[in-house]
Amino acid sequence: MAGMRAFVAGGSNLGDRLAHLRQGLARLAESGVGLSAISSVWETDAIDCADPLPFLNLVVETRFDGTPRQLLDRMLAVERRLGRRRGVRRNEPRALDLDLLWSDTGPRCEPGLVLPHPRMWDRRFVLAPLAELAPDLADASCGLSVADHERRLRTGQPGVVRVGALDGIIGALREPSTA
């Protein structure tokens, strides 16, 4: 599939986190979003969340014959299909969270869509998996690469651990505690 190249982050911290990520990617593909590459899965501490359940995170490189807004609309539909309710409580636990990080169409700032994602350069749980797929992708505001930003955050955000490839990690995950 040709079209726009974009990177999408996926995360889950409720229930069968791995199954939610797999289902989310399958639904994206079914909706016409081409999945070019998938990072490893990373287990990460929750940041700025009321309930500190650990997340599983990954990044997928996509190809899509449409605009960033159309891709975002498909992503939000997938989240809804898997039970996500946005706007109830900020940073609440969720079965699936999909964020549009970057697109080769260039920067955008419109209601509900800012590209590159405004917080991606300060989130190691995004940068570590993204560095597997696009380590040289540059932050236009300062010229640093994804890999440079990820190294910068290692000390301040240590709770980011590579678990493995999406299909080979069943036994290595810690179960979220509900206490």
Side-chain angles (χ1 to χ4, degrees):
M1 174 180 270
M4 173 184 68
R5 178 182 181 219
F7 291 99
V8 174
S12 176
N13 73 334
L14 274 184
D16 188 339
R17 302 170 295 162
L18 190 57
H20 294 308
L21 289 174
R22 282 188 180 124
Q23 290 170 3
L25 295 181
R27 299 293 181 266
L28 273 179
E30 289 168 5
S31 76
V33 177
L35 308 180
S36 303
I38 302 170
S39 74
S40 298
V41 176
W42 294 71
E43 189 166 48
T44 65
D45 293 337
I47 296 177
D48 298 328
C49 292
D51 298 312
L53 302 172
F55 276 84
L56 289 184
N57 293 99
L58 55 71
V59 170
V60 61
E61 180 178 357
T62 67
R63 293 286 179 171
F64 181 66
D65 288 327
T67 67
R69 171 64 66 188
Q70 291 168 325
L71 175 57
L72 179 63
D73 289 344
R74 296 214 184 165
M75 293 164 49
L76 295 174
V78 167
E79 285 184 347
R80 284 190 303 274
R81 188 170 176 191
L82 295 178
R84 175 87 188 264
R85 295 180 340 253
R86 286 186 175 264
V88 175
R89 187 176 72 180
R90 183 166 172 78
N91 295 332
E92 67 184 345
R94 47 211 173 262
L96 184 65
D97 182 29
L98 297 173
D99 288 322
L100 183 53
L101 301 176
W102 178 92
S103 159
D104 67 2
T105 61
R108 271 184 200 266
C109 187
E110 54 189 67
L113 177 61
V114 177
L115 291 175
H117 190 289
R119 293 176 301 281
M120 72 180 265
W121 303 112
D122 293 317
R123 292 179 165 177
R124 188 162 175 244
F125 65 87
V126 168
L127 295 171
L130 181 57
E132 292 181 347
L133 303 180
D136 297 325
L137 186 71
D139 178 351
S141 70
C142 66
L144 291 176
S145 70
V146 166
D148 293 333
H149 277 296
E150 193 278 329
R151 279 190 296 276
R152 174 182 62 84
L153 294 173
R154 281 185 191 161
T155 305
Q157 296 180 20
V160 178
V161 178
R162 183 182 179 279
V163 179
L166 186 60
D167 289 325
I169 62 172
I170 300 300
L173 301 174
R174 60 182 176 184
E175 288 302 313
S177 109
T178 55

